[in-house]
Amino acid sequence: IGFPETGSRSGILPLRINEDEKLIRLTQALATGHILVNPVFYPVVSRRNSLIRLSVSASHSRQQLTHALEQIERHSSRLGIL
């Protein structure tokens, strides 16, 4: 999609957003499409290091994952994150 690689080796995938306002708007946009992500911002992480955490499991279908990625890309582009 265009987010920096984090090297995550678990089912929790962090995507750096870096701006709290865009993080909140992206989280809300994804939620309207039934894609739930965990926003993480200050004081949990240092300022300008906000991120969303995607939790992926074997119970997600390929179709669900594709849909989620398409929506993340669409909304991230629209919000000027990518």
Side-chain angles (χ1 to χ4, degrees):
I1 294 177
F3 286 95
E5 174 63 41
T6 63
S8 177
R9 295 185 181 268
S10 74
I12 300 173
L13 307 172
L15 299 178
R16 290 228 177 269
I17 308 301
N18 298 329
E19 295 181 44
D20 291 352
E21 180 62 32
K22 289 182 179 181
L23 169 76
I24 292 165
R25 292 176 65 197
L26 177 60
T27 301
Q28 291 171 338
L30 293 173
T32 62
H34 306 287
I35 299 167
L36 303 179
V37 297
N38 298 308
V40 182
F41 45 89
Y42 181 83
V44 177
V45 294
S46 60
R47 292 191 191 281
R48 311 246 344 125
N49 283 309
S50 57
L51 55 94
I52 58 172
R53 287 186 180 146
L54 300 168
S55 297
V56 179
S57 75
S59 66
H60 289 105
S61 69
R62 183 174 296 273
Q63 181 181 10
Q64 289 171 318
L65 295 173
T66 299
H67 173 71
L69 289 173
E70 288 170 349
Q71 293 303 304
I72 291 167
E73 182 175 32
R74 177 177 155 234
H75 291 298
S76 295
S77 294
R78 181 178 58 80
L79 293 169
I81 296 168
L82 292 178

